Amino acid sequence: MKKTLFSAAAFALLTLGNSAVFAQSAKATIGAESNLVISKHIYGQFAEHLGRGIYDGFWVDPKMPVKKQDRYRLDIVEALKKIKIPNLRWPGGCFADEYHWRDGIGVRTSRPKMVNTNWGGVTEDNSFGTHEFLELCRLLGCEPYISGNVGSGTVQEMSNWVEYLNFDGKSPLTDLRAKNGHGKPYNVSFWGVGNESWGCGGNMTPEYYSDEYKRYAIFAKDYNNAKLKKIATGPAGDNYNWTEVVMKNVKKDIWGIALHYYTLPTGSWTGSKGSATNFNEDAYFNTMRNALKMEEYVTKHSAIMDKYDPQKNIALVVDEWGVWTDSEPGTNPGFLYQQNSLRDALVAASTLNIFNNHAERVKMANLAQAINVLQALILTNKEKLVFTPTYHIFDMYKVHQDAKLLPVKIDVPEYEFNGNKIPAVNVSASKDASGKIHLTIVNIDNHKSVDFKADLGNVAWNTVTGQILTGTNVTNINTFTNPTNIRLVAFNDAKKDGSSVSVKLPAHSVVSLELK
C-alpha cells in the first residue's frame, strides 16, 4: 500500500463547520521506566451471540464466496491477527446466562436449536459452539475467555464445562471431548463467573451474587496446566457499592472483577442514545465527555479494591466498553448494528490511554464488539468487508502490548463548548523490549490544533517516526464503497528538540510516535 505523508499544514483547515483554527500548547514529562507492564490483555475483544457478530460475521454460510476454513471467514481472521488481539470473550454478554454449553457440541446437524431471547428473538442452530469457538481462538492465536452461565445454569453445568475443556485424565467428559474430535485438553484459563448478574444475568443483589460466586468458584476446578483465572461480575459505571460488597465478601479464588461502561452520546438509556453518524458538535462534545468518565470510574473502583487488596493481586477487568448508539436505520434494532466514525476512534484511543495509565490495576479489557455489533472493528456486507476507524486505533496501539509503562505528567489545554470544558489532550507512553519508546497522543478538540511538547529527561533517543489517524470531520466513516476514507498514514510533524519531542497535533486526531 502506498504511504501518504500528512503534515499539520495539510490538516490546518480540517474542522467541523467554518470555525477558525487556533493553536494551543500542551506539555508533558515522561518519567523513568517503571516496573509496571501494560498487559496485552487490555487489548481484548468481545464476540457475543448477538446480531451478525458470530453468524454472518466470524461464521458464514458455506456458500459465501470468500476465503474460508470450514465456515470461518479468513479475511476477518487475518485482519484480527494483524492487530494481535490477545483474547476473545464468548459467548456473552447477556446471552451467556441463557446458554447451555452441551447444546453446542457434537454433530452440528443434531444440535438442538435455541431462541436468542436477549437479542432479536432469532432462532440459532448452535452450529457455532465450544469447539468452534476454541478453534477460532487457535486460528487467531489468542486466548479464549469464556463466560459461564450463572443466571439460568447450575454449579454442576459450569463445573462440567471446565472439566470437559481442561481435564487431562480419563473421565466420561473427557471421553465425550475425544469423541467430539479433541483428545487433548484445551486448558482454558480465563473464566467469567456469570455476566451482569445485577441485571440480565439474574437481577441479583451484590450480597447474593457474592455467595453465588463463591459456590460456583469452588466447583470450577484447576487441572494440570490450567490454573483458572476466575473473573467475578463487577459493577456498571458508578455502582461503587457492588464493588465494595464483592471485594469485602469474596476473600479468595478470584483473579479479577469486571467493570462495564458504555459511552452513550445522549448519556441516557431511555429514548434515543444518539446517531452513530448524524450528529452535531453538541453531541460530539457530550460523547467525548462521557467517554472520559472512564478515568473517574477506573480510579474510584480501584480505590475500593485497594482497601481489600492493597497488593493489587486482583485485576480490574473492563470486559465491556465502547460507544453505544442507536442502531442503523433499516436494521433489526435487536442486532445492535451501528456505523463507526472518527468520533469512535477518538473514544477508543482515549479509553486505551486511560487503561494503559492504570496498568497497576487494569489487567484486561474487551471492546464491545469485534464484528458487526456496537463499536465494531470490522463491518461486513455479504462478501464485502470494511475496517472501521476503531480498527485502525487498535492497529496503532498494539505497540503498547506487554511494554513497560512510562508514567506521564501532562499540562494540557481544555476543549470548551457551550460553557463546558474537558481536557483536550490525553496521552500514554511505553518502552518495549527492544528499547523503543512509543507515545500515543489524542487531541479531541474539534477545532484547535495543539503544539505538544514532551520532555523525556535523560532518556536517550535519536529519531522519531509516526502515524496519524484523522479526517476532515468527526462524522467521517469508512463505507463499503469508500473503505479507506479514514486510515492510518505516516506522520512527519514531530521533531527532536533537545531532550524533548515536539509535535503539532491537528484537531480531532490521534498520533502515535516511535522514538529510538
Side-chain angles (χ1 to χ4, degrees):
M1 180 180 294
K2 182 179 179 181
K3 289 188 176 181
T4 305
L5 295 181
F6 278 68
S7 69
F11 286 105
L13 299 178
L14 301 187
T15 61
L16 180 65
N18 297 315
S19 300
V21 179
F22 301 97
Q24 304 179 97
S25 296
K27 295 181 179 180
T29 302
I30 310 297
E33 177 183 331
S34 71
N35 292 322
L36 285 174
V37 172
I38 298 173
S39 171
K40 66 180 181 180
H41 289 294
I42 285 173
Y43 292 83
Q45 303 299 324
F46 180 25
E48 183 171 6
H49 285 245
L50 199 173
R52 296 192 302 113
I54 299 292
Y55 299 99
D56 200 31
F58 284 108
W59 189 248
V60 297
D61 189 295
K63 297 178 181 178
M64 181 176 284
V66 294
K67 188 177 180 181
K68 299 181 296 293
Q69 180 173 318
D70 193 354
R71 290 173 58 183
Y72 302 103
R73 184 166 175 165
L74 291 182
D75 53 359
I76 286 178
V77 169
E78 291 306 314
L80 296 182
K81 285 175 66 177
K82 180 178 183 292
I83 62 173
K84 299 181 179 180
I85 72 165
N87 67 75
L88 188 63
R89 181 175 181 246
W90 173 88
C94 293
F95 180 83
D97 282 292
E98 66 177 7
Y99 182 70
H100 300 283
W101 67 271
R102 284 179 177 268
D103 294 341
I105 60 173
V107 179
R108 290 174 189 162
T109 56
S110 300
R111 297 176 188 177
K113 293 179 172 60
M114 67 171 290
V115 179
N116 189 335
T117 63
N118 282 289
W119 306 118
V122 296
T123 299
E124 298 198 8
D125 65 4
N126 273 315
S127 60
F128 189 95
T130 296
H131 288 267
E132 288 76 20
F133 169 64
L134 292 170
E135 174 63 12
L136 172 61
C137 291
R138 188 192 70 79
L139 291 172
L140 291 169
C142 74
E143 288 197 51
Y145 170 16
I146 292 178
S147 295
N149 184 344
V150 172
S152 68
T154 65
V155 169
Q156 183 176 359
E157 182 178 15
M158 183 170 173
S159 175
N160 287 349
W161 202 2
V162 175
E163 180 183 334
Y164 180 83
L165 293 180
N166 290 354
F167 184 44
D168 59 351
K170 180 79 171 174
S171 77
L173 285 169
T174 58
D175 288 346
L176 181 60
R177 184 184 70 216
K179 180 182 177 182
N180 290 330
H182 208 276
K184 294 183 179 179
Y186 283 104
N187 297 329
V188 178
S189 292
F190 290 115
W191 287 83
V193 182
N195 167 78
E196 294 190 357
S197 300
W198 38 262
C200 64
N203 283 328
M204 302 177 192
T205 65
E207 291 81 7
Y208 181 84
Y209 173 74
S210 298
D211 287 341
E212 285 292 276
Y213 175 88
K214 289 183 284 188
R215 192 165 68 96
Y216 273 76
I218 199 169
F219 288 101
K221 304 292 186 181
D222 290 338
Y223 296 104
N224 290 340
N225 302 315
K227 182 173 176 59
L228 301 191
K229 296 174 180 175
K230 301 168 192 174
I231 299 168
T233 286
D238 62 355
N239 187 350
Y240 301 115
N241 180 61
W242 186 282
T243 301
E244 185 87 38
V245 172
V246 172
M247 289 297 299
K248 180 179 179 180
N249 292 347
V250 179
K251 305 292 187 184
K252 59 181 181 179
D253 207 12
I254 177 173
W255 182 82
I257 182 168
L259 167 65
H260 290 182
Y261 176 64
Y262 286 96
T263 297
L264 310 181
T266 63
S268 175
W269 287 102
T270 59
S272 173
K273 300 178 185 67
S275 171
T277 57
N278 184 21
F279 56 87
N280 57 20
E281 185 163 8
D282 183 56
Y284 170 68
F285 182 91
N286 287 336
T287 301
M288 298 311 302
R289 179 172 56 184
N290 292 338
L292 294 179
K293 289 180 181 178
M294 183 68 82
E295 173 71 35
E296 174 187 342
Y297 297 151
V298 168
T299 298
K300 290 185 176 180
H301 286 294
S302 295
I304 295 169
M305 296 173 73
D306 288 347
K307 290 168 55 179
Y308 302 96
D309 174 38
Q311 294 79 27
K312 294 179 171 52
N313 293 321
I314 300 173
L316 184 59
V317 178
V318 192
D319 61 14
E320 288 190 32
W321 69 272
V323 179
W324 191 322
T325 69
D326 295 338
S327 299
E328 289 300 299
T331 65
N332 186 329
F335 283 7
L336 304 186
Y337 177 85
Q338 65 191 48
Q339 249 294 355
N340 192 295
S341 70
L342 178 59
R343 177 181 68 173
D344 296 83
L346 294 164
V347 169
S350 299
T351 303
L352 291 171
N353 278 343
I354 292 169
F355 293 160
N356 289 347
N357 289 326
H358 285 273
E360 79 288 348
R361 184 63 83 175
V362 180
K363 302 295 184 183
M364 190 174 187
N366 301 82
L367 176 72
Q369 295 188 13
I371 314 295
N372 289 328
V373 176
L374 296 174
Q375 192 177 349
L377 298 174
I378 298 172
L379 303 177
T380 67
N381 181 9
K382 298 180 180 178
E383 71 276 8
K384 296 180 181 178
L385 172 151
V386 65
F387 301 142
T388 68
T390 298
Y391 173 90
H392 295 302
I393 292 298
F394 276 82
D395 193 12
M396 177 187 280
Y397 275 57
K398 66 189 179 186
V399 294
H400 289 304
Q401 291 190 23
D402 282 345
K404 292 283 187 71
L405 176 69
L406 297 178
V408 181
K409 293 183 179 180
I410 57 175
D411 181 9
V412 302
E414 293 179 314
Y415 169 30
E416 184 174 0
F417 183 78
N418 282 348
N420 296 303
K421 298 178 181 180
I422 53 178
V425 175
N426 59 80
V427 60
S428 65
S430 68
K431 184 177 182 180
D432 68 16
S434 69
K436 296 175 185 175
I437 294 171
H438 295 101
L439 279 69
T440 46
I441 316 161
V442 185
N443 178 13
I444 66 175
D445 195 300
N446 196 40
H447 302 291
K448 298 177 182 178
S449 63
V450 173
D451 294 324
F452 178 85
K453 189 172 185 178
D455 186 356
L456 283 88
N458 295 324
V459 176
W461 61 280
N462 297 305
T463 63
V464 55
T465 56
Q467 292 180 303
I468 187 170
L469 190 78
T470 190
T472 58
N473 197 303
V474 290
T475 60
N476 288 163
I477 61 174
N478 290 335
T479 67
F480 298 106
T481 56
N482 188 4
T484 59
N485 185 35
I486 301 292
R487 67 195 188 280
L488 289 178
V489 295
F491 177 74
N492 66 346
D493 220 338
K495 63 182 181 180
K496 185 172 173 51
D497 182 4
S499 63
S500 299
V501 59
S502 294
V503 190
K504 177 75 74 173
L505 302 173
H508 49 251
S509 68
V510 184
V511 169
S512 174
L513 301 178
E514 180 175 281
L515 281 60
K516 60 182 182 180

